[in-house]
Amino acid sequence: MEKFKKLISTAVALSLQDVDTDQIIPARFLKATTREGFGDNLFRDWRYNANDEPNSDFILNQSEVGGEILVAGKNFGCGSSREHAAWAIYDYGFKVVISSFFADIFKNNALNNGLLPVQISDEFLLKIFAAIEVDNKTQLEVDLENEQITIIQTRESENFDINPYKKYCLQEGYDDIDFLISKREEIEAFENTISI
Amino acid sequence: MGAKTLFDKIWDTHVVHSIKDGPQVVYIDRHFIHEVTSPQAFAGLKKRGIGVFNTSKTIATADHNVPTKDQHLPIKDALSRHQVNTLINNCDEFGVELYGLGHPYQGIVHVIGPELGITQPGMTIVCGDSHTSTHGAFGNIAFGIGTSEVEQVLATQCVLQRKPKTMKIQVDGKLKQGVVSKDIILYVISQISTSGGTGYFVEFCGSAIESLSMEARMTICNMSIEMGARGGMIAPDETTFEYIKGREFAPNGTDWDKKLAHWKALKTDKDAVFDTEYHFNAVDIEPMITYGTNPGMGIGITESVPAINPTSDPSLTKALDYMDLQGGGQLLGKKIDYVFIGSCTNSRIEDLRMVADLVKGKQKADHVNAMIIPGSKQVEKQAMEEGIDQILAGAGFELRQPGCSACLGMNEDKVPTGKYCVSTSNRNFEGRQGPGARTMLASPLTAAAAAITGHITDVRKMLN
Ligand code: SF4
């Protein structure tokens, strides 16, 4: 996993609520057996029409906007447990997803892949959408160390919460499996005490 | 010691290690895997040069990506074939038991665990699939995980998790005629929304829940993820024990007696406190149907679709646009094109019996394409033994072979663009059943009724 410290970038605004994992990556693209390449089909059915032509209304097809941050409406990532959703977003080039609420499994999956889910208040989310609407070159700063997000142009900022252990993992590029493997002996001892 | 919820009791006895201010290392009793979310996890083990920690606790099947016709022939789609073969090779290499295509136990992962008696009370159960919550109907902690976590469990038999909060959902009273467990859960989700349960683990209780069969309880727990919850559970009781007894992998002899004594103690203490509670009355529940593009967008079959205000609600506007429905209108009488009866929500033998009882001696509407996909080889076998296959065929339904099928449109079973499908599955997301497909979630009874009349129908009018 790559290390994450601080990111300053323009952002892509997707102002819809309840964006589910079937939209992030439709099931028919889950047939791969490796983790790479899912970015090509990120938001596939919103990005392309039925004839596989890019849909010019969709934000990712509007070339003047871009960046490593995705900002989305409330309850982002609901639906299936497919980690492919986090892989697709990361593979496409996003390092941070901002929303006022994340579905649980998606949040875990993102954190396990170095994709930082930043959960902020509904009010601050509206401010970000508004700032981007006025100027799509608006830059956001995501500072993991200080757990703070700032709209550079307006200097408005808000703090976000992240679990200290997960923060450490992101900063160090350390993942859960490394940690669990280091606990193998303890797990074996536990297993010997149970009867199920 | 303070009073505890059932969830706390099971969770706390499975914690191996707690990280200060961080997640806990939770031991997993049963791990189910399937072809779609496991290949990258096995690849991770190979990269690290390690094996599976305890092969006796992992069970594999092929379900998401398999054809539901001619399962004896090689899979036509090259990518699907490769994915299923990768599972076969990985199970072989790592020594994991596989109930793959052609095996008498093959089926949807959340159907086979319970029917084989692998799923038992008091356990921790995970699978790289969000509907793992289904297993909670037996009074255990079961939840879906991502592929990195599948790798964690394969490597260490544990996952790192933060303990969720607890929620109680109590449903009391007697269900009205024509209302079944699918309607209960669609009703609950419509009341508390698709994110209302996020961060929580739910215990369902109350007289309406206790009166349900195990299969009906599974339907409820199955969809607890659709309100955002990590999982749902129902305390085990005589109905649970009766269901498990005698199944293939159920304990027997003195082991059964020992387990039973343990299971009987699995209850929430009287004074235990939940972080959140909801109470509902069974009599308020009508047969339900969804009109939008998430499972929270559901209404009673005789109710109207909510009116929209495009400026204040872009998500609802987008949903109704996609569904090509009018805000404020009724769904009753709306012409439909497809009926899909299947998925880990409603593909068990009781679901098939329910449908067969309703359609016996009737004919599906000519313009409707009605398919039924049994949840497992065992369900399929039993349906044949009971003559259900004949009844369904007689009514013009197509009975296919076990798998996830059009629930997620990963294989060739899809609903075409723009077509309406009344579906017993669990998700009506845009494109879930195929690009452009318009899904309306409902119970097997409501779906079967729509197949017969060819439009959205109040099934109560067809009963008696
Ligand atoms: S039937 Fe549908 S919801 Fe259930 S496991 Fe299969 S794809 Fe997932």
Side-chain angles (χ1 to χ4, degrees):
Chain A
M1 212 169 80
E2 264 180 61
K3 295 183 183 180
F4 188 105
K5 306 261 180 204
K6 186 191 268 191
L7 176 70
I8 298 176
S9 168
T10 51
V12 174
L14 185 63
S15 62
L16 285 171
Q17 290 185 12
D18 302 317
V19 173
D20 61 75
T21 49
D22 276 76
Q23 306 320 315
I24 300 172
I25 180 93
R28 61 189 192 280
F29 299 111
L30 305 185
K31 297 184 183 185
T33 53
T34 62
R35 289 177 187 242
E36 291 77 35
F38 289 101
D40 292 345
N41 294 311
L42 175 66
F43 295 120
R44 178 77 201 194
D45 294 337
W46 287 347
R47 246 165 101 191
Y48 296 93
N49 65 20
N51 304 321
D52 282 335
E53 291 150 3
N55 172 4
S56 58
D57 292 342
F58 189 61
I59 189 80
L60 290 189
N61 294 328
Q62 297 167 352
S63 56
E64 75 274 19
V65 268
E68 294 178 292
I69 300 175
L70 177 66
V71 193
K74 196 173 159 197
N75 198 25
F76 185 82
C78 59
S80 102
S81 62
R82 61 187 70 160
E83 194 161 318
H84 313 68
W87 299 339
I89 294 172
Y90 195 82
D91 190 62
Y92 184 86
F94 292 113
K95 301 277 184 293
V96 172
V97 189
I98 297 173
S99 176
S100 57
F101 199 82
F102 289 97
D104 276 337
I105 306 183
F106 176 80
K107 195 176 191 175
N108 271 350
N109 287 342
L111 286 165
N112 280 334
N113 287 280
L115 175 69
L116 175 61
V118 174
Q119 185 160 329
I120 54 174
S121 66
D122 284 318
E123 296 74 50
F124 201 70
L125 184 67
L126 285 178
K127 281 186 188 162
I128 295 179
F129 280 138
I132 297 173
E133 173 121 28
V134 172
D135 173 10
N136 60 21
K137 300 278 181 319
T138 297
Q139 289 198 311
L140 303 177
E141 179 186 276
V142 180
D143 179 351
L144 180 58
E145 175 60 37
N146 295 307
E147 304 180 13
Q148 194 176 54
I149 168 158
T150 306
I151 305 172
I152 303 256
Q153 272 80 344
T154 63
R155 296 311 310 165
E156 288 169 291
S157 66
E158 185 172 277
N159 283 92
F160 61 87
D161 262 351
I162 179 161
N163 178 270
Y165 166 80
K166 284 293 177 189
K167 180 174 173 179
Y168 168 80
C169 288
L170 281 168
Q171 287 174 321
E172 299 307 317
Y174 181 74
D175 66 30
D176 286 351
I177 301 183
D178 299 325
F179 176 82
L180 284 171
I181 289 174
S182 77
K183 292 278 172 265
R184 263 186 97 109
E185 279 181 22
E186 213 175 315
I187 297 168
E188 275 164 17
F190 180 90
E191 190 171 60
N192 289 331
T193 66
I194 53 167
S195 64
I196 284 179
Chain B
M1 209 183 70
K4 281 185 159 191
T5 63
L6 172 58
F7 176 80
D8 286 329
K9 287 181 189 179
I10 302 174
W11 181 278
D12 293 349
T13 52
H14 284 81
V15 173
V16 178
H17 179 99
S18 297
I19 300 173
K20 194 174 169 300
D21 299 326
Q24 294 177 304
V25 177
V26 179
Y27 186 83
I28 298 303
D29 295 314
R30 292 293 180 272
H31 183 200
F32 294 101
I33 61 172
H34 61 85
E35 75 277 19
V36 178
T37 56
S38 68
Q40 294 87 352
F42 280 112
L45 295 188
K46 284 181 207 168
K47 210 165 125 199
R48 285 169 205 270
I50 54 176
V52 172
F53 186 85
N54 186 337
T55 50
S56 71
K57 303 206 167 185
T58 299
I59 303 95
T61 191
D63 54 2
H64 280 66
N65 207 348
V66 301
T68 57
K69 240 183 179 165
D70 296 331
Q71 287 186 342
H72 61 288
L73 298 177
I75 300 175
K76 280 193 222 130
D77 180 89
L79 290 173
S80 300
R81 189 171 64 239
H82 177 64
Q83 203 170 49
V84 171
N85 284 340
T86 304
L87 180 71
I88 296 173
N89 294 338
N90 281 330
C91 288
D92 195 43
E93 184 178 340
F94 287 87
V96 170
E97 183 87 56
L98 169 66
Y99 303 141
L101 278 185
H103 194 286
Y105 295 164
Q106 181 265 339
I108 304 174
V109 64
H110 311 308
V111 174
I112 68 169
E115 77 182 0
L116 290 170
I118 298 170
T119 299
Q120 294 169 19
M123 289 179 162
T124 48
I125 299 177
V126 295
C127 172
D129 187 280
S130 54
H131 293 96
T132 309
S133 57
T134 314
H135 305 260
F138 291 79
N140 53 48
I141 295 181
F143 55 92
I145 55 177
T147 298
S148 293
E149 293 165 319
V150 172
E151 187 179 340
Q152 295 172 23
V153 182
L154 289 173
T156 67
Q157 203 56 39
C158 289
V159 273
L160 265 180
Q161 292 287 308
R162 298 191 66 186
K163 190 173 178 179
K165 291 180 283 187
T166 54
M167 177 185 285
K168 175 162 102 170
I169 297 183
Q170 184 166 341
V171 189
D172 284 312
K174 209 165 160 291
L175 289 173
K176 294 195 286 200
Q177 196 197 22
V179 177
V180 293
S181 71
K182 179 65 164 285
D183 301 308
I184 301 181
I185 190 65
L186 284 173
Y187 175 80
V188 169
I189 302 168
S190 75
Q191 297 297 306
I192 74 174
S193 92
T194 49
S195 57
T198 304
Y200 291 91
F201 214 96
V202 178
E203 180 175 345
F204 294 94
C205 61
S207 56
I209 304 290
E210 283 159 25
S211 69
L212 299 174
S213 71
M214 282 319 292
E215 297 195 356
R217 292 179 190 186
M218 284 186 241
T219 302
I220 297 214
C221 290
N222 171 278
M223 287 194 73
S224 47
I225 177 75
E226 305 310 337
M227 53 190 177
R230 277 326 303 275
M233 68 198 315
I234 295 171
D237 59 11
E238 286 306 321
T239 307
T240 321
F241 311 142
E242 198 51 43
Y243 179 95
I244 299 172
K245 198 166 188 178
R247 294 196 177 255
E248 184 70 26
F249 296 102
N252 46 36
T254 52
D255 193 26
W256 169 264
D257 298 335
K258 234 175 69 194
K259 291 265 162 64
L260 189 63
H262 169 57
W263 294 347
K264 284 187 168 168
L266 292 170
K267 280 186 187 47
T268 289
D269 294 331
K270 229 173 95 245
D271 300 324
V273 180
F274 289 84
D275 296 301
T276 301
E277 292 192 15
Y278 287 96
H279 291 251
F280 298 104
N281 287 320
V283 291
D284 296 337
I285 307 175
E286 274 200 279
M288 296 286 295
I289 187 138
T290 63
Y291 56 84
T293 54
N294 73 50
M297 294 176 166
I299 49 176
I301 194 102
T302 59
E303 288 171 359
S304 300
V305 176
I308 43 173
N309 172 354
T311 44
S312 68
D313 203 342
S315 296
L316 178 62
T317 309
K318 188 170 190 303
L320 292 186
D321 249 14
Y322 180 85
M323 294 297 291
D324 195 20
L325 292 173
Q326 297 298 320
Q330 278 233 326
L331 292 179
L332 275 179
K334 169 98 195 148
K335 191 167 165 236
I336 56 118
D337 312 289
Y338 280 72
V339 165
F340 170 71
I341 293 170
S343 92
C344 55
T345 315
N346 285 118
S347 63
R348 298 179 177 82
I349 192 68
E350 286 179 11
D351 300 312
L352 269 54
R353 283 185 196 135
M354 208 190 299
V355 172
D357 277 352
L358 191 86
V359 306
K360 191 170 185 175
K362 301 189 178 78
Q363 263 300 316
K364 72 163 181 74
D366 278 346
H367 68 275
V368 172
N369 186 321
M371 49 176 161
I372 300 210
I373 288 83
S376 69
K377 287 308 272 185
Q378 298 211 79
V379 171
E380 182 186 44
K381 186 162 160 262
Q382 185 152 0
M384 288 177 179
E385 282 167 13
E386 295 181 17
I388 290 175
D389 58 330
Q390 298 300 326
I391 296 174
L392 295 173
F397 284 67
E398 186 189 7
L399 186 66
R400 303 182 74 130
Q401 291 173 306
C404 292
S405 181
C407 172
L408 88 165
M410 233 185 128
N411 67 358
E412 57 271 30
D413 304 351
K414 289 187 181 69
V415 176
T417 306
K419 298 290 181 196
Y420 289 94
C421 178
V422 181
S423 175
T424 68
S425 55
N426 42 56
R427 287 189 176 138
N428 49 350
F429 297 149
E430 284 184 29
R432 171 78 177 182
Q433 297 196 284
R438 294 173 175 150
T439 301
M440 298 165 133
L441 302 176
S443 77
L445 275 182
T446 297
I452 299 295
T453 62
H455 48 77
I456 305 290
T457 301
D458 186 343
V459 68
R460 292 173 293 195
K461 299 242 155 71
M462 290 173 68
L463 299 170
N464 299 319

